[in-house]
Amino acid sequence: MSDRTMARQVLLFIWFLSLGSALGQVSYSIPEEMAKGSLVGNIAQDLGLDLKRLKSGKARIYTGDSAEYIELNKERGVLLIKERIDREALCGQTTPCALHFQIILENPIEFYHVTVEVSDINDNAPYFNKPDTYFEISESAVNGAKFDIEQAVDQDVGTNAIQSYMLSLSDNFSLKLHSQADGRKIVEMVLQKPLDREKQEDIALVLTAIDGGDPHLSGTTQIRIKVLDVNDNAPAFTHSVYKATVVENSPKGTVVIRVEASDADQSSNAEIIYSITNTHDGVPEMFEINRHNGELKIIGDIDYEKARHFQINVRASDRGGLTDSSKIIIDVIDVNDNKPVINIMSKSAMLSEDSKPDTVVTVINTQDVDSNENGKVQCFVNDNYPFVLKTTTINFFSLVTDGDLDRERESEYNISVTCSDEGVPSLSSSVTLSLQISDVNDNAPVFEKSSYEASVQENNTPGLSIFTVRARDADFNQNARVSYILEDSSVNGVPVSSLVSVSADSGVIHAVRSFDYEQIKDFQFRVKAQDGGSPPLSSNVSVKITIQDQNDNAPQVLYPVQSGANVVAEIVPRSADVGYLVTKVVAVDVDSGQNAWLSYKLHKATDRALFEVGLQNGEIRIVRQVTDKDAVKQRLTVVVEDNGQPSRSATVNVNVAVADSFPEVLTEFTDFTHDKEYNDNLTFYLVLALAVVSFLFIVSIIAILSVKCYRWRRERMFYKSGANLPVIPYYPPLYADVGGTGTLQHVYNYEVCRTTDSRKSDLKYARPCSESIISLDTSGTHTLTHAQRERLNFDDCDDQVRIMFITNLCAILKHFS
Ligand SMILES: *[C@@H]1O[C@H](CO)[C@@H](O)[C@H](O)[C@H]1NC(C)=O
Ligand SMILES: *[C@@H]1O[C@H](CO)[C@@H](O)[C@H](O)[C@H]1NC(C)=O
């Protein structure tokens, strides 16, 4: 404080002795808070006292009980600040504020009133009792809403007291100041713009109270506002459309996507519940959304083949009922979970073996419900088969032949068609097609041998099966049914069919007749085998049949000629030496080989010692010197025997005349005629024998007939029925060719009880009673074999009769032998 100001204040009030006891009164005005020793006023001057009086009067200040803020300096006669004066402490809010004291002098006692008015200085700043204020205001508070604020305090008074308030910058609030009747200012906070919790939840403001001092002093307080939430915000999805993919066949429970909605509100107002709003499109069966966290899970079987996309409408709702919706578009990713399906037009087919390459066997259709690579199908067939698959249109294949078929090589194919898709891993399936190859007559029959050779004994029975030719045909069924046909040709001028026949279906070659080696030794013909195809195929083979000789011909004597009565004799001179060749028996045998190998033996001789027959050559030689005693007429019987088994022989009588002259011979040989007699006798005996045989035979027949007749009558008497008349068997007369000249064939040609089936000739041979040769020496030219050429027809014959007949015949023949 400057001296000038102080002087002005000091001079405010000076009263002189206005009261009886009081000599004077002086007032001073000082600001508070002056420093110690500061001059308050020149009291001596103001009171008109000189300094000596002050000293002598022992001037002092009297304050009573009050504290002494001011002291008196007697030397200078001034009042000085003794203690700091705080107006506020001294007077509070009371104005004006003054110190009252007296200055007392002694000798004489005088006292003066002194008033020191203490004026306010702005030494106190406004302040708030609480450092901060806290409000909770709903964001729904309307404009104009008022909020009381605690008032600030300023110890100073007057203009130094609070003059104004100030609020830190805020959009929402303003201050309103009210002046009270006591001059104090009351401040309110007014909402001038709605709050939005979502924008600013906590608002911090600073309220400043400012006093009117110079300079201004101020105090502040914090105003903290919490904006309370109101459900004024709907949830909002983070995306309007969500996209996701899901692999088909994903297991249940797989999380596909998580949707999220946010709500700007708070706590329960921001609590979001998610839901799916689809109804009829199957989505609710497939997906489930977690109400709280928005996770979309699979609950059904995702099958790409059924649904490739899903659109899921989701809704987010808060507790206040506000909602938002969004959609999730889910693409299903295909998995190769379907095998290709093979449809084959027919599972079994038939194809002719002469089908050309590229013939369509069947058509195959494939389907794979998977898509893209997973649905692309490739098919193939067994690669060692003559078939290929050709793509016709998409998913259609034709199975065509890729080579020549041959039923004889492969009559059936099990074609396995395998189709696989191109997925990873690839799936495949296969189907087996059974293809039958039908036969075409493309193979001729083939004979088992390139040529056949067989032999047959001569004198075979007609119908004898000689051997069998066989041809095979690789074809099937009718095309392989081989028939055998005898090719027409002729053998020595006779058609071959009169020699042999071929059984058409068995290939058995039968002799048609009895062969005679002496007539034909072998012959060739061709047999054709023909199959039943259309047209038929055939092949032929040559067959050679060799006839084997049997010893069926006895040797035939060619020389010497045996001719009835004309007896020829060889003449041997009596002078003949030992070894003299009398003659040579010449014989031939029409058989061959061993059967024609002849040997000569002397059988009977008038004089056995004289002659010898060459075993091999039939030469009759003299073996000893002829003597005179030797008869002229020598008769030799030479047996010519072949080497067959059994052997056959012929005898020849050789007449030898041992004589030196022809007349001698003649006379001797006239009685050769008795030989004729002998022959006649023999003929007679034979005739007689036959007569006896015939007689016995007739007797037997009559006997049997009688027996039969007797039985028949008895049967008739039993049944009295004329229907079953027994058939009287017919027995042809015995025919025996005896005494025939020439070679009789050694044939037993019995056709006995032939059945009607000519193929199976059921020949029953009535065996001759003895196998031995019955040689009836007719002493001459006849060479009679035991063979009787008998043709007996035993049709419907009775065994009894037959046996009896044969027995009789045998007995007779035995007797003869
Ligand atoms: C074809 O299949 C059938 C039936 O499975 C079988 O009987 C036949 O032997 C097979 N054929 C071939 C040539 O494999
Ligand atoms: C027999 O077969 C041969 C080929 O092996 C053939 O040349 C001939 O013509 C055939 N003969 C007949 C009569 O069919």
Side-chain angles (χ1 to χ4, degrees), residues 452-454 456 466 486 489-492 495-501 509-512 515 520-525 542-547:
Y452 289 87
E453 239 174 274
V456 61
I466 303 171
L486 186 63
S489 62
S490 65
V491 176
N492 299 342
V496 74
S497 58
S498 67
L499 298 176
V500 285
S501 68
I509 293 176
H510 295 276
V512 168
F515 297 124
I520 182 164
K521 297 200 165 36
D522 56 44
F523 58 96
Q524 272 199 347
F525 55 93
S542 104
V543 179
K544 180 176 180 182
I545 290 187
T546 314
I547 292 154

PDB file of all heavy atoms in Angstrom, residues 452-454 456 466 486 489-492 495-501 509-512 515 520-525 542-547:
ATOM      1  N   TYR A 452      -7.700-143.377 -91.873  1.00  0.00           N
ATOM      2  CA  TYR A 452      -7.942-144.529 -91.018  1.00  0.00           C
ATOM      3  C   TYR A 452      -7.550-145.780 -91.765  1.00  0.00           C
ATOM      4  O   TYR A 452      -7.672-145.863 -92.985  1.00  0.00           O
ATOM      5  CB  TYR A 452      -9.429-144.627 -90.658  1.00  0.00           C
ATOM      6  CG  TYR A 452      -9.884-143.559 -89.706  1.00  0.00           C
ATOM      7  CD1 TYR A 452     -10.311-142.324 -90.169  1.00  0.00           C
ATOM      8  CD2 TYR A 452      -9.892-143.802 -88.338  1.00  0.00           C
ATOM      9  CE1 TYR A 452     -10.726-141.346 -89.296  1.00  0.00           C
ATOM     10  CE2 TYR A 452     -10.315-142.830 -87.454  1.00  0.00           C
ATOM     11  CZ  TYR A 452     -10.736-141.606 -87.933  1.00  0.00           C
ATOM     12  OH  TYR A 452     -11.152-140.648 -87.069  1.00  0.00           O
ATOM     13  N   GLU A 453      -7.107-146.693 -90.971  1.00  0.00           N
ATOM     14  CA  GLU A 453      -6.820-147.988 -91.548  1.00  0.00           C
ATOM     15  C   GLU A 453      -7.348-149.016 -90.574  1.00  0.00           C
ATOM     16  O   GLU A 453      -7.176-148.853 -89.357  1.00  0.00           O
ATOM     17  CB  GLU A 453      -5.320-148.169 -91.719  1.00  0.00           C
ATOM     18  CG  GLU A 453      -4.942-148.412 -93.164  1.00  0.00           C
ATOM     19  CD  GLU A 453      -3.447-148.441 -93.347  1.00  0.00           C
ATOM     20  OE1 GLU A 453      -2.865-147.348 -93.529  1.00  0.00           O
ATOM     21  OE2 GLU A 453      -2.891-149.543 -93.290  1.00  0.00           O
ATOM     22  N   ALA A 454      -8.007-149.992 -91.085  1.00  0.00           N
ATOM     23  CA  ALA A 454      -8.514-151.026 -90.208  1.00  0.00           C
ATOM     24  C   ALA A 454      -8.461-152.329 -90.950  1.00  0.00           C
ATOM     25  O   ALA A 454      -8.355-152.352 -92.180  1.00  0.00           O
ATOM     26  CB  ALA A 454      -9.951-150.722 -89.811  1.00  0.00           C
ATOM     27  N   VAL A 456     -10.064-156.339 -91.155  1.00  0.00           N
ATOM     28  CA  VAL A 456     -11.165-157.200 -90.757  1.00  0.00           C
ATOM     29  C   VAL A 456     -10.860-158.596 -91.290  1.00  0.00           C
ATOM     30  O   VAL A 456     -10.272-158.745 -92.361  1.00  0.00           O
ATOM     31  CB  VAL A 456     -12.506-156.627 -91.274  1.00  0.00           C
ATOM     32  CG1 VAL A 456     -12.529-156.542 -92.782  1.00  0.00           C
ATOM     33  CG2 VAL A 456     -13.674-157.429 -90.760  1.00  0.00           C
ATOM     34  N   ILE A 466     -16.871-152.787 -87.876  1.00  0.00           N
ATOM     35  CA  ILE A 466     -15.437-152.971 -88.084  1.00  0.00           C
ATOM     36  C   ILE A 466     -14.663-152.046 -87.175  1.00  0.00           C
ATOM     37  O   ILE A 466     -13.819-152.444 -86.398  1.00  0.00           O
ATOM     38  CB  ILE A 466     -15.065-152.715 -89.562  1.00  0.00           C
ATOM     39  CG1 ILE A 466     -15.882-153.646 -90.457  1.00  0.00           C
ATOM     40  CG2 ILE A 466     -13.584-152.890 -89.785  1.00  0.00           C
ATOM     41  CD1 ILE A 466     -15.772-153.358 -91.919  1.00  0.00           C
ATOM     42  N   LEU A 486     -21.060-141.985 -96.116  1.00  0.00           N
ATOM     43  CA  LEU A 486     -20.117-142.741 -96.951  1.00  0.00           C
ATOM     44  C   LEU A 486     -20.080-142.092 -98.333  1.00  0.00           C
ATOM     45  O   LEU A 486     -21.114-141.903 -98.962  1.00  0.00           O
ATOM     46  CB  LEU A 486     -20.619-144.192 -97.059  1.00  0.00           C
ATOM     47  CG  LEU A 486     -19.719-145.174 -97.760  1.00  0.00           C
ATOM     48  CD1 LEU A 486     -18.416-145.334 -97.008  1.00  0.00           C
ATOM     49  CD2 LEU A 486     -20.437-146.510 -97.883  1.00  0.00           C
ATOM     50  N   SER A 489     -18.199-144.322-104.107  1.00  0.00           N
ATOM     51  CA  SER A 489     -17.058-144.667-104.964  1.00  0.00           C
ATOM     52  C   SER A 489     -17.238-146.133-105.309  1.00  0.00           C
ATOM     53  O   SER A 489     -18.151-146.788-104.797  1.00  0.00           O
ATOM     54  CB  SER A 489     -15.745-144.425-104.221  1.00  0.00           C
ATOM     55  OG  SER A 489     -15.690-145.246-103.085  1.00  0.00           O
ATOM     56  N   SER A 490     -16.385-146.610-106.124  1.00  0.00           N
ATOM     57  CA  SER A 490     -16.542-148.021-106.440  1.00  0.00           C
ATOM     58  C   SER A 490     -15.228-148.744-106.231  1.00  0.00           C
ATOM     59  O   SER A 490     -14.154-148.171-106.378  1.00  0.00           O
ATOM     60  CB  SER A 490     -17.049-148.201-107.872  1.00  0.00           C
ATOM     61  OG  SER A 490     -16.074-147.731-108.763  1.00  0.00           O
ATOM     62  N   VAL A 491     -15.380-149.951-105.822  1.00  0.00           N
ATOM     63  CA  VAL A 491     -14.218-150.791-105.568  1.00  0.00           C
ATOM     64  C   VAL A 491     -14.343-151.974-106.522  1.00  0.00           C
ATOM     65  O   VAL A 491     -15.324-152.706-106.452  1.00  0.00           O
ATOM     66  CB  VAL A 491     -14.218-151.267-104.105  1.00  0.00           C
ATOM     67  CG1 VAL A 491     -13.057-152.214-103.888  1.00  0.00           C
ATOM     68  CG2 VAL A 491     -14.170-150.097-103.160  1.00  0.00           C
ATOM     69  N   ASN A 492     -13.379-152.075-107.348  1.00  0.00           N
ATOM     70  CA  ASN A 492     -13.392-153.146-108.351  1.00  0.00           C
ATOM     71  C   ASN A 492     -14.732-153.224-109.065  1.00  0.00           C
ATOM     72  O   ASN A 492     -15.293-154.297-109.268  1.00  0.00           O
ATOM     73  CB  ASN A 492     -13.097-154.508-107.709  1.00  0.00           C
ATOM     74  CG  ASN A 492     -11.731-154.515-107.073  1.00  0.00           C
ATOM     75  OD1 ASN A 492     -10.893-153.669-107.386  1.00  0.00           O
ATOM     76  ND2 ASN A 492     -11.510-155.462-106.183  1.00  0.00           N
ATOM     77  N   PRO A 495     -20.118-150.752-106.135  1.00  0.00           N
ATOM     78  CA  PRO A 495     -20.177-149.553-105.283  1.00  0.00           C
ATOM     79  C   PRO A 495     -19.750-149.897-103.858  1.00  0.00           C
ATOM     80  O   PRO A 495     -20.053-150.983-103.367  1.00  0.00           O
ATOM     81  CB  PRO A 495     -21.651-149.139-105.349  1.00  0.00           C
ATOM     82  CG  PRO A 495     -22.369-150.333-105.816  1.00  0.00           C
ATOM     83  CD  PRO A 495     -21.424-151.137-106.659  1.00  0.00           C
ATOM     84  N   VAL A 496     -19.055-148.956-103.274  1.00  0.00           N
ATOM     85  CA  VAL A 496     -18.512-149.225-101.951  1.00  0.00           C
ATOM     86  C   VAL A 496     -19.625-149.429-100.933  1.00  0.00           C
ATOM     87  O   VAL A 496     -19.447-150.117 -99.939  1.00  0.00           O
ATOM     88  CB  VAL A 496     -17.553-148.087-101.538  1.00  0.00           C
ATOM     89  CG1 VAL A 496     -18.330-146.838-101.178  1.00  0.00           C
ATOM     90  CG2 VAL A 496     -16.663-148.507-100.386  1.00  0.00           C
ATOM     91  N   SER A 497     -20.775-148.902-101.264  1.00  0.00           N
ATOM     92  CA  SER A 497     -21.883-149.039-100.315  1.00  0.00           C
ATOM     93  C   SER A 497     -22.348-150.484-100.215  1.00  0.00           C
ATOM     94  O   SER A 497     -23.055-150.844 -99.290  1.00  0.00           O
ATOM     95  CB  SER A 497     -23.038-148.139-100.731  1.00  0.00           C
ATOM     96  OG  SER A 497     -23.435-148.481-102.030  1.00  0.00           O
ATOM     97  N   SER A 498     -21.927-151.307-101.162  1.00  0.00           N
ATOM     98  CA  SER A 498     -22.300-152.705-101.040  1.00  0.00           C
ATOM     99  C   SER A 498     -21.286-153.456-100.175  1.00  0.00           C
ATOM    100  O   SER A 498     -21.475-154.622 -99.890  1.00  0.00           O
ATOM    101  CB  SER A 498     -22.410-153.347-102.425  1.00  0.00           C
ATOM    102  OG  SER A 498     -21.132-153.388-103.008  1.00  0.00           O
ATOM    103  N   LEU A 499     -20.214-152.761 -99.822  1.00  0.00           N
ATOM    104  CA  LEU A 499     -19.222-153.407 -98.961  1.00  0.00           C
ATOM    105  C   LEU A 499     -19.352-152.967 -97.515  1.00  0.00           C
ATOM    106  O   LEU A 499     -19.331-153.759 -96.603  1.00  0.00           O
ATOM    107  CB  LEU A 499     -17.809-153.080 -99.465  1.00  0.00           C
ATOM    108  CG  LEU A 499     -17.460-153.560-100.867  1.00  0.00           C
ATOM    109  CD1 LEU A 499     -16.076-153.084-101.248  1.00  0.00           C
ATOM    110  CD2 LEU A 499     -17.516-155.079-100.925  1.00  0.00           C
ATOM    111  N   VAL A 500     -19.421-151.674 -97.368  1.00  0.00           N
ATOM    112  CA  VAL A 500     -19.494-151.163 -95.998  1.00  0.00           C
ATOM    113  C   VAL A 500     -20.622-150.138 -95.902  1.00  0.00           C
ATOM    114  O   VAL A 500     -21.043-149.563 -96.902  1.00  0.00           O
ATOM    115  CB  VAL A 500     -18.172-150.479 -95.568  1.00  0.00           C
ATOM    116  CG1 VAL A 500     -17.115-151.490 -95.277  1.00  0.00           C
ATOM    117  CG2 VAL A 500     -17.729-149.461 -96.586  1.00  0.00           C
ATOM    118  N   SER A 501     -21.037-149.940 -94.695  1.00  0.00           N
ATOM    119  CA  SER A 501     -21.973-148.854 -94.450  1.00  0.00           C
ATOM    120  C   SER A 501     -21.449-148.093 -93.236  1.00  0.00           C
ATOM    121  O   SER A 501     -20.698-148.630 -92.431  1.00  0.00           O
ATOM    122  CB  SER A 501     -23.372-149.394 -94.169  1.00  0.00           C
ATOM    123  OG  SER A 501     -23.366-150.075 -92.936  1.00  0.00           O
ATOM    124  N   ILE A 509     -18.394-148.121 -88.693  1.00  0.00           N
ATOM    125  CA  ILE A 509     -18.374-148.677 -90.040  1.00  0.00           C
ATOM    126  C   ILE A 509     -18.695-150.164 -89.942  1.00  0.00           C
ATOM    127  O   ILE A 509     -18.040-150.898 -89.184  1.00  0.00           O
ATOM    128  CB  ILE A 509     -17.018-148.417 -90.702  1.00  0.00           C
ATOM    129  CG1 ILE A 509     -16.895-146.912 -90.905  1.00  0.00           C
ATOM    130  CG2 ILE A 509     -16.902-149.180 -92.013  1.00  0.00           C
ATOM    131  CD1 ILE A 509     -15.590-146.482 -91.453  1.00  0.00           C
ATOM    132  N   HIS A 510     -19.733-150.521 -90.628  1.00  0.00           N
ATOM    133  CA  HIS A 510     -20.162-151.919 -90.625  1.00  0.00           C
ATOM    134  C   HIS A 510     -19.810-152.552 -91.951  1.00  0.00           C
ATOM    135  O   HIS A 510     -19.834-151.904 -92.989  1.00  0.00           O
ATOM    136  CB  HIS A 510     -21.686-152.009 -90.475  1.00  0.00           C
ATOM    137  CG  HIS A 510     -22.189-151.507 -89.179  1.00  0.00           C
ATOM    138  ND1 HIS A 510     -22.224-152.281 -88.043  1.00  0.00           N
ATOM    139  CD2 HIS A 510     -22.677-150.295 -88.823  1.00  0.00           C
ATOM    140  CE1 HIS A 510     -22.722-151.581 -87.047  1.00  0.00           C
ATOM    141  NE2 HIS A 510     -22.997-150.357 -87.497  1.00  0.00           N
ATOM    142  N   ALA A 511     -19.529-153.809 -91.847  1.00  0.00           N
ATOM    143  CA  ALA A 511     -19.383-154.559 -93.089  1.00  0.00           C
ATOM    144  C   ALA A 511     -20.784-154.878 -93.574  1.00  0.00           C
ATOM    145  O   ALA A 511     -21.647-155.246 -92.785  1.00  0.00           O
ATOM    146  CB  ALA A 511     -18.612-155.838 -92.810  1.00  0.00           C
ATOM    147  N   VAL A 512     -21.003-154.669 -94.828  1.00  0.00           N
ATOM    148  CA  VAL A 512     -22.332-154.979 -95.351  1.00  0.00           C
ATOM    149  C   VAL A 512     -22.412-156.464 -95.688  1.00  0.00           C
ATOM    150  O   VAL A 512     -23.421-157.098 -95.517  1.00  0.00           O
ATOM    151  CB  VAL A 512     -22.632-154.112 -96.577  1.00  0.00           C
ATOM    152  CG1 VAL A 512     -23.856-154.610 -97.315  1.00  0.00           C
ATOM    153  CG2 VAL A 512     -22.833-152.673 -96.145  1.00  0.00           C
ATOM    154  N   PHE A 515     -16.642-160.556 -96.242  1.00  0.00           N
ATOM    155  CA  PHE A 515     -15.565-160.333 -97.218  1.00  0.00           C
ATOM    156  C   PHE A 515     -14.831-161.620 -97.489  1.00  0.00           C
ATOM    157  O   PHE A 515     -14.749-162.502 -96.636  1.00  0.00           O
ATOM    158  CB  PHE A 515     -14.579-159.300 -96.676  1.00  0.00           C
ATOM    159  CG  PHE A 515     -15.214-157.960 -96.462  1.00  0.00           C
ATOM    160  CD1 PHE A 515     -15.166-157.345 -95.222  1.00  0.00           C
ATOM    161  CD2 PHE A 515     -15.855-157.316 -97.509  1.00  0.00           C
ATOM    162  CE1 PHE A 515     -15.748-156.129 -95.017  1.00  0.00           C
ATOM    163  CE2 PHE A 515     -16.436-156.092 -97.304  1.00  0.00           C
ATOM    164  CZ  PHE A 515     -16.388-155.493 -96.069  1.00  0.00           C
ATOM    165  N   ILE A 520     -10.924-159.906-102.527  1.00  0.00           N
ATOM    166  CA  ILE A 520     -10.522-158.516-102.353  1.00  0.00           C
ATOM    167  C   ILE A 520      -9.679-158.436-101.092  1.00  0.00           C
ATOM    168  O   ILE A 520     -10.037-158.993-100.065  1.00  0.00           O
ATOM    169  CB  ILE A 520     -11.766-157.598-102.303  1.00  0.00           C
ATOM    170  CG1 ILE A 520     -11.350-156.139-102.177  1.00  0.00           C
ATOM    171  CG2 ILE A 520     -12.723-157.975-101.196  1.00  0.00           C
ATOM    172  CD1 ILE A 520     -12.503-155.208-102.510  1.00  0.00           C
ATOM    173  N   LYS A 521      -8.554-157.836-101.272  1.00  0.00           N
ATOM    174  CA  LYS A 521      -7.616-157.825-100.153  1.00  0.00           C
ATOM    175  C   LYS A 521      -7.702-156.527 -99.353  1.00  0.00           C
ATOM    176  O   LYS A 521      -7.464-156.483 -98.162  1.00  0.00           O
ATOM    177  CB  LYS A 521      -6.191-158.032-100.656  1.00  0.00           C
ATOM    178  CG  LYS A 521      -6.029-159.380-101.304  1.00  0.00           C
ATOM    179  CD  LYS A 521      -4.609-159.805-101.383  1.00  0.00           C
ATOM    180  CE  LYS A 521      -4.469-161.288-101.700  1.00  0.00           C
ATOM    181  NZ  LYS A 521      -5.494-161.812-102.627  1.00  0.00           N
ATOM    182  N   ASP A 522      -7.975-155.505-100.021  1.00  0.00           N
ATOM    183  CA  ASP A 522      -8.196-154.252 -99.299  1.00  0.00           C
ATOM    184  C   ASP A 522      -8.964-153.311-100.200  1.00  0.00           C
ATOM    185  O   ASP A 522      -9.049-153.542-101.396  1.00  0.00           O
ATOM    186  CB  ASP A 522      -6.874-153.610 -98.846  1.00  0.00           C
ATOM    187  CG  ASP A 522      -5.938-153.384 -99.983  1.00  0.00           C
ATOM    188  OD1 ASP A 522      -6.382-152.903-101.047  1.00  0.00           O
ATOM    189  OD2 ASP A 522      -4.733-153.677 -99.830  1.00  0.00           O
ATOM    190  N   PHE A 523      -9.508-152.313 -99.615  1.00  0.00           N
ATOM    191  CA  PHE A 523     -10.175-151.301-100.428  1.00  0.00           C
ATOM    192  C   PHE A 523     -10.201-149.992 -99.644  1.00  0.00           C
ATOM    193  O   PHE A 523     -10.023-149.961 -98.427  1.00  0.00           O
ATOM    194  CB  PHE A 523     -11.591-151.733-100.837  1.00  0.00           C
ATOM    195  CG  PHE A 523     -12.509-152.036 -99.692  1.00  0.00           C
ATOM    196  CD1 PHE A 523     -13.393-151.084 -99.207  1.00  0.00           C
ATOM    197  CD2 PHE A 523     -12.504-153.295 -99.099  1.00  0.00           C
ATOM    198  CE1 PHE A 523     -14.244-151.364 -98.178  1.00  0.00           C
ATOM    199  CE2 PHE A 523     -13.355-153.576 -98.050  1.00  0.00           C
ATOM    200  CZ  PHE A 523     -14.218-152.630 -97.583  1.00  0.00           C
ATOM    201  N   GLN A 524     -10.374-148.948-100.387  1.00  0.00           N
ATOM    202  CA  GLN A 524     -10.343-147.621 -99.790  1.00  0.00           C
ATOM    203  C   GLN A 524     -11.617-146.903-100.138  1.00  0.00           C
ATOM    204  O   GLN A 524     -12.171-147.092-101.217  1.00  0.00           O
ATOM    205  CB  GLN A 524      -9.169-146.824-100.357  1.00  0.00           C
ATOM    206  CG  GLN A 524      -7.903-147.028 -99.579  1.00  0.00           C
ATOM    207  CD  GLN A 524      -6.903-145.942 -99.840  1.00  0.00           C
ATOM    208  OE1 GLN A 524      -7.085-145.175-100.783  1.00  0.00           O
ATOM    209  NE2 GLN A 524      -5.874-145.887 -99.037  1.00  0.00           N
ATOM    210  N   PHE A 525     -12.025-146.090 -99.253  1.00  0.00           N
ATOM    211  CA  PHE A 525     -13.171-145.239 -99.550  1.00  0.00           C
ATOM    212  C   PHE A 525     -13.044-144.004 -98.671  1.00  0.00           C
ATOM    213  O   PHE A 525     -12.118-143.888 -97.866  1.00  0.00           O
ATOM    214  CB  PHE A 525     -14.487-145.984 -99.273  1.00  0.00           C
ATOM    215  CG  PHE A 525     -14.604-146.541 -97.886  1.00  0.00           C
ATOM    216  CD1 PHE A 525     -15.214-145.795 -96.886  1.00  0.00           C
ATOM    217  CD2 PHE A 525     -14.079-147.792 -97.559  1.00  0.00           C
ATOM    218  CE1 PHE A 525     -15.317-146.296 -95.607  1.00  0.00           C
ATOM    219  CE2 PHE A 525     -14.175-148.289 -96.275  1.00  0.00           C
ATOM    220  CZ  PHE A 525     -14.802-147.538 -95.293  1.00  0.00           C
ATOM    221  N   SER A 542      -9.954-140.496 -95.587  1.00  0.00           N
ATOM    222  CA  SER A 542      -9.883-141.741 -96.351  1.00  0.00           C
ATOM    223  C   SER A 542      -9.745-142.904 -95.385  1.00  0.00           C
ATOM    224  O   SER A 542      -9.072-142.804 -94.364  1.00  0.00           O
ATOM    225  CB  SER A 542      -8.707-141.680 -97.331  1.00  0.00           C
ATOM    226  OG  SER A 542      -7.654-142.437 -96.858  1.00  0.00           O
ATOM    227  N   VAL A 543     -10.442-143.966 -95.712  1.00  0.00           N
ATOM    228  CA  VAL A 543     -10.445-145.146 -94.861  1.00  0.00           C
ATOM    229  C   VAL A 543      -9.976-146.311 -95.715  1.00  0.00           C
ATOM    230  O   VAL A 543     -10.440-146.502 -96.827  1.00  0.00           O
ATOM    231  CB  VAL A 543     -11.873-145.419 -94.330  1.00  0.00           C
ATOM    232  CG1 VAL A 543     -11.876-146.662 -93.476  1.00  0.00           C
ATOM    233  CG2 VAL A 543     -12.389-144.236 -93.553  1.00  0.00           C
ATOM    234  N   LYS A 544      -9.041-146.978 -95.153  1.00  0.00           N
ATOM    235  CA  LYS A 544      -8.562-148.159 -95.880  1.00  0.00           C
ATOM    236  C   LYS A 544      -8.870-149.371 -95.031  1.00  0.00           C
ATOM    237  O   LYS A 544      -8.540-149.402 -93.844  1.00  0.00           O
ATOM    238  CB  LYS A 544      -7.050-148.044 -96.088  1.00  0.00           C
ATOM    239  CG  LYS A 544      -6.483-149.226 -96.823  1.00  0.00           C
ATOM    240  CD  LYS A 544      -5.004-149.029 -97.104  1.00  0.00           C
ATOM    241  CE  LYS A 544      -4.469-150.241 -97.843  1.00  0.00           C
ATOM    242  NZ  LYS A 544      -3.034-150.105 -98.094  1.00  0.00           N
ATOM    243  N   ILE A 545      -9.530-150.298 -95.657  1.00  0.00           N
ATOM    244  CA  ILE A 545      -9.848-151.516 -94.923  1.00  0.00           C
ATOM    245  C   ILE A 545      -9.080-152.654 -95.557  1.00  0.00           C
ATOM    246  O   ILE A 545      -9.124-152.861 -96.771  1.00  0.00           O
ATOM    247  CB  ILE A 545     -11.370-151.770 -94.930  1.00  0.00           C
ATOM    248  CG1 ILE A 545     -12.010-150.704 -94.047  1.00  0.00           C
ATOM    249  CG2 ILE A 545     -11.686-153.175 -94.434  1.00  0.00           C
ATOM    250  CD1 ILE A 545     -13.453-150.892 -93.818  1.00  0.00           C
ATOM    251  N   THR A 546      -8.342-153.286 -94.711  1.00  0.00           N
ATOM    252  CA  THR A 546      -7.562-154.436 -95.170  1.00  0.00           C
ATOM    253  C   THR A 546      -8.276-155.673 -94.700  1.00  0.00           C
ATOM    254  O   THR A 546      -8.703-155.745 -93.530  1.00  0.00           O
ATOM    255  CB  THR A 546      -6.162-154.408 -94.532  1.00  0.00           C
ATOM    256  OG1 THR A 546      -5.670-153.098 -94.648  1.00  0.00           O
ATOM    257  CG2 THR A 546      -5.237-155.361 -95.233  1.00  0.00           C
ATOM    258  N   ILE A 547      -8.412-156.604 -95.588  1.00  0.00           N
ATOM    259  CA  ILE A 547      -9.083-157.845 -95.205  1.00  0.00           C
ATOM    260  C   ILE A 547      -8.013-158.858 -94.879  1.00  0.00           C
ATOM    261  O   ILE A 547      -7.027-159.001 -95.602  1.00  0.00           O
ATOM    262  CB  ILE A 547     -10.010-158.316 -96.328  1.00  0.00           C
ATOM    263  CG1 ILE A 547     -11.153-157.300 -96.414  1.00  0.00           C
ATOM    264  CG2 ILE A 547     -10.565-159.695 -96.030  1.00  0.00           C
ATOM    265  CD1 ILE A 547     -11.778-157.225 -97.736  1.00  0.00           C
TER     266      ILE A 547
END
